Amino acid sequence: MRSGIRLWFNKVRNLRIKAKLFLLITVSMAVSSCISLVGLQIAYSIYDQQIYEKSSQVLNLSSTLIENELNKVERLTFSIMSDEQIQQNLMVMNSNESDYTRIQSRAKLVDRLVQYINTETYITAADITDLRGNSYSSGNLTTLSPERRALIERISEQGGGSLGWVNPDAQDYSLVATRQIRSFDNLDLNKLGTLVLHVNLDKIVNQYAREAVIRDGELLIVSQGNMIYPHTANLKSFMNDSFPSESAAKGFRIMEQDGEKYFVSHIHSDYLGWTYYNRLPFQTIFSHIILMKNWMIAAFLVSFFLLVGFGMTVARSVTRPIDGLISSMRGLQISDLENSELPTLAPLSQQMDEVGLLQRTYRMMIVRIQELIKENYTKQLIIKETEFRSLQAQINPHFLYNTLESINWISKMNGQKQVSQMVESLGYLLRSSISLKQDMISVEDELQLVQHYITIQRVRFEERLDFRLDVPAHLLSQSIPKLTLQPLLENAIKYAVEVMLEPCVIQISGREEADAVVLIVEDNGPGIDEVYLEQILTGERKSKGTGIGLKNIDERIKLSYGDEFGIQVENRLDGGTRISIRLPMMKRG
């Protein structure tokens, strides 16, 4: 057997290149086709399961949102039933009081009912009936059929004071919540009347569950074999013997209606005994898979013929890369490397075997050498231009400082002390920010920068800005990266002072902790959202403005002193933001 395999291997090895390529392509395409068909079948089953899981999640979310709103209605009915004013007025209406007293109680009862109904957007109407059969209603109360009215009364009686629900029908699309009103006086629990609330189920579904349904899907709600949402006639015909059973907690199946297939998933809720369905057109779900299957078959056929033709072309031109490489080397010997016009891309027919890779690498090497020559020449030009611009830029700051000094002198001459202080502070800030001599300065110098910045901001915000400074004297000589406190103060003004109408207190304090110095910048503003802050510190979102951000300051400190130092941002318990800067205890220099 071994000799037979060796003989077959030798025959294959001795075949012409065209035959080898044809055999390789044929076997490869056959194996790929089998793998693709098996993978496609697996993808069908996985896709079914994923759609079911997603649909189940949607139905869980939809049912939860809907029933949360119905729970609110239930709590509302209890509030109305237990309302002392409503109970007292119902007692008057059930008694033999004078007509004048009864009219007053009736008006109070209706007014109280209106107050409750106006708090809920889903209640279309409310009705209270006393023991004498008198009705007190509010809202858009529709006329009920005798059968539906009798059904509501029967469910209310069966509840005995607990809440009962009456599903919508063909004449009345509203969901009805009803319960008896019983007296809480001396806990005798005597019946005083009946409360009926009409709930707009369509509005609840459209508000909380419609957007949650999968695109192109339809949400259906069924109770005891009757569809209560929606009220479309063609969907009611969907209710037949083939519809999924409501007894199962959840599941899915593929159904057919009017010649079209549908993917239907359902989930049962024990709160009202409703079953929620999500109906998706089968063609919409699986159209992409069917299209992908057809495209795979077409791509296989086209690829087969293209690969065969390509293999034949490669076999005929197997020696062409070597000739091209030799020709390029000879041309390079008699030409200038910088000015030679060597093609940057290899021919489309070039094969990717050892010879092809050699030719391709050679071409890329020559192109890279040419690029480095041009890049070096360009960098020399940029360096010269940068030096020239640097000389020009040295003139502008001196001109700006001299101009500010002139403005300061004129302000003092004219008695404009406030303008003079602003100009002096602005000049100090400009000199400090532009100066590149020192990266590390003392806390005292940094606080002097802050004081000049506050001088300018106080002119803008006046009494709205209450700045306080409490840094011990022995900490003033400690070193700190330049422009650390000023950006934090700028953030406090932007996110606290600017958004507050009342005075905002910004305080810079300092203390010593073991071998570290802690400087604190805090305010009594509205604070900062924890998620937004986390995104800024991790770099997922840029902070507002164009200044130095929190992440930048934290990285500067960590690069200077180590990862155990940096800034910490937190919201204060009494409101506002606190930023702590932790620095090592060290002397300047």
Side-chain angles (χ1 to χ4, degrees):
M1 183 176 179
R2 291 183 178 179
S3 58
I5 295 176
R6 186 176 302 172
L7 180 62
W8 179 83
F9 179 76
N10 291 332
K11 287 183 179 181
V12 173
R13 187 176 59 178
N14 295 328
L15 288 175
R16 299 180 63 183
I17 294 178
K18 293 182 181 180
K20 290 180 181 178
L21 290 176
F22 183 79
L23 180 62
L24 177 63
I25 292 172
T26 303
V27 173
S28 300
M29 294 298 290
V31 174
S32 300
S33 300
C34 294
I35 294 175
S36 299
L37 291 176
V38 173
L40 189 62
Q41 188 63 31
I42 295 175
Y44 266 112
S45 59
I46 295 176
Y47 195 66
D48 284 347
Q49 186 64 27
Q50 288 180 344
I51 290 181
Y52 163 65
E53 291 176 356
K54 184 176 181 180
S55 181
S56 296
Q57 293 174 0
V58 168
L59 288 176
N60 273 321
L61 176 61
S62 301
S63 61
T64 301
L65 292 173
I66 293 173
E67 291 177 0
N68 284 343
E69 294 304 313
L70 296 182
N71 276 324
K72 293 181 182 179
V73 175
E74 182 174 357
R75 291 193 294 270
L76 178 63
T77 60
F78 181 79
S79 298
I80 296 175
M81 178 191 70
S82 59
D83 187 275
E84 182 178 357
Q85 183 176 350
I86 290 179
Q87 291 215 352
Q88 290 177 355
N89 290 318
L90 275 177
M91 290 180 182
V92 172
M93 300 307 296
N94 292 328
S95 65
N96 295 321
E97 296 288 340
S98 64
D99 292 341
Y100 177 76
T101 303
R102 290 167 58 83
I103 290 174
Q104 283 186 327
S105 296
R106 179 188 182 93
K108 292 180 181 178
L109 183 61
V110 173
D111 289 342
R112 190 60 175 164
L113 189 61
V114 169
Q115 292 177 7
Y116 276 106
I117 300 307
N118 288 338
T119 61
E120 297 293 334
T121 58
Y122 309 116
I123 308 299
T124 59
D127 180 75
I128 294 179
T129 305
D130 60 16
L131 299 180
R132 298 184 177 184
N134 298 319
S135 179
Y136 316 98
S137 59
S138 173
N140 187 15
L141 187 63
T142 58
T143 303
L144 302 177
S145 63
E147 295 79 8
R148 186 167 178 79
R149 187 180 297 276
L151 176 61
I152 294 174
E153 293 177 357
R154 185 171 66 254
I155 292 178
S156 176
E157 291 291 337
Q158 292 174 354
S162 62
L163 182 66
W165 295 94
V166 181
N167 293 326
D169 59 13
Q171 287 75 32
D172 183 12
Y173 293 159
S174 62
L175 177 67
V176 175
T178 180
R179 70 191 313 164
Q180 289 182 353
I181 300 177
R182 295 181 175 268
S183 174
F184 285 178
D185 189 17
N186 297 325
L187 297 179
D188 53 13
L189 298 180
N190 293 326
K191 180 180 177 181
L192 299 178
T194 303
L195 171 65
V196 176
L197 295 183
H198 294 260
V199 182
N200 191 334
L201 181 61
D202 292 354
K203 195 171 183 180
I204 295 178
V205 174
N206 291 332
Q207 178 70 23
Y208 290 98
R210 189 63 179 175
E211 295 298 330
V213 178
I214 299 177
R215 184 180 178 184
D216 298 328
E218 293 178 288
L219 177 66
L220 294 81
I221 303 177
V222 177
S223 175
Q224 299 178 354
N226 298 317
M227 184 173 294
I228 62 175
Y229 177 87
H231 310 289
T232 311
N234 62 340
L235 290 181
K236 290 185 177 181
S237 63
F238 200 59
M239 303 291 298
N240 49 41
D241 295 338
S242 62
F243 206 77
S245 174
E246 297 182 39
S247 60
K250 59 181 179 179
F252 73 98
R253 64 181 299 178
I254 297 174
M255 302 177 57
E256 186 173 350
Q257 181 191 24
D258 299 332
E260 293 187 9
K261 290 184 177 180
Y262 294 91
F263 184 93
V264 180
S265 59
H266 69 279
I267 184 170
H268 185 75
S269 173
D270 295 330
Y271 177 61
L272 296 177
W274 289 357
T275 304
Y276 298 83
Y277 295 88
N278 189 12
R279 189 181 76 157
L280 295 167
F282 185 85
Q283 185 65 26
T284 301
I285 303 174
F286 294 96
S287 59
H288 299 293
I289 290 185
I290 296 173
L291 181 62
M292 182 179 66
K293 181 179 179 181
N294 296 333
W295 274 105
M296 287 183 62
I297 296 174
F300 170 76
L301 296 175
V302 173
S303 300
F304 179 79
F305 291 109
L306 288 178
L307 289 175
V308 171
F310 178 73
M312 296 302 177
T313 302
V314 172
R316 289 194 302 266
S317 60
V318 67
T319 58
R320 193 172 300 171
I322 300 176
D323 295 335
L325 182 59
I326 295 174
S327 176
S328 298
M329 289 181 177
R330 288 177 179 175
L332 190 60
Q333 291 177 354
I334 58 176
S335 63
D336 185 5
L337 178 62
E338 183 178 356
N339 299 320
S340 61
E341 297 181 356
L342 189 68
T344 58
L345 295 176
L348 293 177
S349 60
Q350 177 180 318
Q351 58 208 60
M352 296 301 297
D353 55 6
E354 288 81 357
V355 178
L357 290 175
L358 178 61
Q359 187 186 36
R360 183 181 181 90
T361 305
Y362 172 76
R363 290 176 180 274
M364 293 175 63
M365 179 187 66
I366 298 300
V367 171
R368 183 57 180 163
I369 291 175
Q370 292 176 338
E371 290 177 352
L372 289 174
I373 293 174
K374 295 179 180 178
E375 182 179 348
N376 184 53
Y377 179 73
T378 303
K379 285 183 178 179
Q380 294 299 326
L381 293 178
I382 293 175
I383 290 173
K384 296 294 183 182
E385 183 179 357
T386 303
E387 292 176 352
F388 176 73
R389 292 184 179 274
S390 177
L391 291 175
Q392 285 183 325
Q394 293 177 3
I395 302 174
N396 296 333
H398 294 292
F399 175 74
L400 181 58
Y401 299 150
N402 293 335
T403 303
L404 290 175
E405 289 295 336
S406 299
I407 296 174
N408 184 21
W409 179 79
I410 294 174
S411 300
K412 289 182 177 179
M413 292 292 294
N414 293 330
Q416 297 291 333
K417 184 178 179 181
Q418 195 175 40
V419 175
S420 175
Q421 291 177 350
M422 289 183 65
V423 171
E424 288 180 354
S425 298
L426 178 59
Y428 185 88
L429 289 174
L430 288 175
R431 288 189 182 91
S432 300
S433 61
I434 293 176
S435 176
L436 301 176
K437 295 181 180 179
Q438 289 181 317
D439 291 332
M440 305 294 295
I441 62 176
S442 66
V443 173
E444 182 178 8
D445 292 339
E446 181 74 6
L447 291 178
Q448 189 175 2
L449 244 172
V450 168
Q451 292 284 11
H452 284 288
Y453 179 75
I454 287 295
T455 299
I456 297 175
Q457 294 295 342
R458 275 179 174 159
V459 175
R460 177 186 175 190
F461 294 103
E462 297 178 348
E463 69 277 0
R464 288 174 55 196
L465 176 58
D466 184 2
F467 177 72
R468 303 173 184 177
L469 185 62
D470 183 19
V471 178
H474 70 279
L475 298 181
L476 297 178
S477 61
Q478 298 299 314
S479 297
I480 186 173
K482 187 178 181 180
L483 290 178
T484 297
L485 292 176
Q486 186 273 334
L488 300 181
L489 193 64
E490 183 178 351
N491 284 340
I493 291 177
K494 182 175 184 61
Y495 294 102
V497 179
E498 290 185 359
V499 299
M500 294 176 62
L501 297 178
E502 63 275 7
C504 178
V505 178
I506 300 178
Q507 178 170 322
I508 298 179
S509 58
R511 65 174 183 267
E512 181 178 345
E513 291 184 359
D515 295 332
V517 175
V518 179
L519 299 176
I520 301 172
V521 180
E522 55 186 340
D523 60 74
N524 63 342
I528 184 170
D529 183 70
E530 298 290 345
V531 177
Y532 177 73
L533 175 62
E534 182 68 21
Q535 292 175 345
I536 291 179
L537 294 178
T538 57
E540 297 179 8
R541 179 180 296 185
K542 294 183 178 180
S543 59
K544 301 177 181 178
T546 57
I548 301 176
L550 297 176
K551 181 175 174 56
N552 186 294
I553 298 174
D554 187 56
E555 290 178 350
R556 287 171 57 202
I557 297 176
K558 283 181 168 55
L559 287 174
S560 300
Y561 303 119
D563 292 338
E564 65 270 22
F565 302 100
I567 68 172
Q568 180 182 1
V569 186
E570 58 183 344
N571 287 322
R572 304 194 313 175
L573 296 178
D574 55 347
T577 305
R578 178 184 292 111
I579 302 178
S580 303
I581 308 168
R582 185 177 178 85
L583 301 169
M585 178 70 72
M586 56 190 299
K587 299 296 183 180
R588 185 178 178 185

